[in-house]
Amino acid sequence: MAEVETAPGTLRPGGRTARVRAAVLRAAEDALIECGVDGIDLAEIARRAEVGKTTVYRRWGNAGALVADLLEDMAEQSVARTETGSLDGDLRANARLVVRTLTDERQGALFKAMIAAAANDERTAEALHRFYATRIQEWAPCVTQAVERGEIPDGTDAPEVIRAVSAPLYYRFLASGDPLDETVADRAAHAATCAARAGAYAKPREARP
Amino acid sequence: MAEVETAPGTLRPGGRTARVRAAVLRAAEDALIECGVDGIDLAEIARRAEVGKTTVYRRWGNAGALVADLLEDMAEQSVARTETGSLDGDLRANARLVVRTLTDERQGALFKAMIAAAANDERTAEALHRFYATRIQEWAPCVTQAVERGEIPDGTDAPEVIRAVSAPLYYRFLASGDPLDETVADRAAHAATCAARAGAYAKPREARP
């Protein structure tokens, strides 16, 4: 299995409830990858997961809620950040992880389907936003540590730097369709580092704590 | 009407064929805005556009082809770039235009629906990529002119700088859900300018013409 940003559907220890959730989320993930968001049919998911239909309808109720729960699960299992000792190195590790995830056949299809689902369903959109908030929070200390090391100006907006690394990769993935590879990842990281060094992500003075 | 990145569905002079196309594209746009991509039903579009069903089926055939044609039309009507005399100013004008488009209720819903449609249909995806290629091409001279003025290094990858301006705006719009406003637009433009000045978008020497 390719190293990916998250490893949804991984079986974790737990009781029957946890096992049912894991099986249903895994089936939902497979359906999204194979057919996109229109592939989420609760009865079919129950059949694939070998779980009673009533359980699935009672617990999740509809496709939007199920995709939202899958996103919660992916956020919980989000891979820990890498520490390399320099901002450019840390951001490069982050960018390469994002590129590996989005170019992985299964994960790429899954992210595309979940983002398309979020366009049509408010609950899915909220879960998607929480997923990215978790990811951004996980990587933000790279930036605060770079401030402490004196690499970038005091008052740099850490979440904004992390967003700036992912942004060109997602723009290619979702909008422009331009290629995604390690060179693109490294350039996204380096551009964010350069802009951070120049103070482009410094918070306005009144916004600082 | 808010000033927007493109003005799809605008009536232009032309013969019957052009009038039919304009009416059908306008109806497709309304359906996408109201119901998302699942709202594209060719018979319903024909009814709304007051055009014969046979004409619509013969000319477009399916929802994917119709969304693709809408994107072609939007690319043709793309708003001309702004020239302010400085890279930061030009990129800021571009970023503010993107933010106005994505935060406009109708245009934002339209872009979200088209991007979701592209996740499920290869032909729509290709049309989406051509739309962004046209937009990027339209704004790239801002960067080449900045090179000529000596603002940024020789060999800067112009399309990549333009992508870098839109990327953080689309990332917020499609993925993270963080707010989109003029401050965010200006920061995206300024970060791209800073990174360009630092040489982060310089093409590798062997890739230059």
Side-chain angles (χ1 to χ4, degrees), chain A residues 99-168:
Chain A
V99 165
R100 277 198 301 275
T101 301
L102 300 181
T103 57
D104 177 84
E105 202 179 331
R106 281 179 58 85
Q107 296 284 315
L110 180 61
F111 273 83
K112 227 165 230 181
M114 291 188 306
I115 289 164
N120 281 321
D121 185 87
E122 199 42 53
R123 184 161 171 187
T124 310
E126 283 164 17
L128 188 74
H129 301 162
R130 280 195 301 275
F131 171 79
Y132 286 106
T134 304
R135 282 274 304 137
I136 292 163
Q137 211 55 46
E138 171 64 33
W139 284 83
C142 297
V143 181
T144 47
Q145 286 170 1
V147 170
E148 285 156 20
R149 284 191 303 261
E151 275 193 70
I152 53 173
D154 198 25
T156 298
D157 184 338
E160 190 60 12
V161 177
I162 302 303
R163 282 184 207 106
V165 174
S166 285

Side-chain angles (χ1 to χ4, degrees), chain A residues 173-185:
Chain A
F173 182 62
L174 297 169
S176 78
D178 296 290
L180 266 178
D181 56 29
E182 254 189 20
T183 307
V184 170

Side-chain angles (χ1 to χ4, degrees), chain B residues 16 19-21 23-24 27 41-61 66:
Chain B
R16 195 184 115 72
R19 284 199 306 277
V20 164
R21 184 181 180 224
V24 168
D41 173 76
L42 260 54
E44 172 62 14
I45 300 283
R47 196 194 56 75
R48 283 184 183 222
E50 299 178 7
V51 166
K53 253 200 295 191
T54 319
T55 306
V56 174
Y57 279 103
R58 199 175 47 223
R59 174 139 182 197
W60 288 278
L66 184 51

Side-chain angles (χ1 to χ4, degrees), chain B residues 62-146:
Chain B
N62 60 57
L66 184 51
V67 179
D69 197 33
L70 181 58
L71 278 158
E72 302 282 353
D73 187 63
M74 289 169 72
E76 284 158 22
Q77 294 179 60
S78 185
V79 172
R81 74 191 164 90
T82 309
E83 293 190 60
T84 67
S86 79
L87 181 63
D88 209 27
D90 289 0
L91 298 184
R92 203 181 308 133
N94 185 6
R96 288 184 177 195
L97 184 59
V98 173
V99 164
R100 277 197 300 276
T101 301
L102 300 182
T103 58
D104 176 84
E105 202 178 332
R106 282 179 56 86
Q107 295 284 316
L110 180 60
F111 273 84
K112 227 165 230 182
M114 291 189 305
I115 289 164
N120 281 321
D121 185 87
E122 197 44 52
R123 184 160 171 188
T124 310
E126 283 164 18
L128 188 74
H129 301 162
R130 280 195 301 273
F131 170 79
Y132 286 106
T134 304
R135 282 273 305 138
I136 292 164
Q137 212 55 48
E138 171 64 32
W139 285 83
C142 296
V143 182
T144 47
Q145 286 171 0

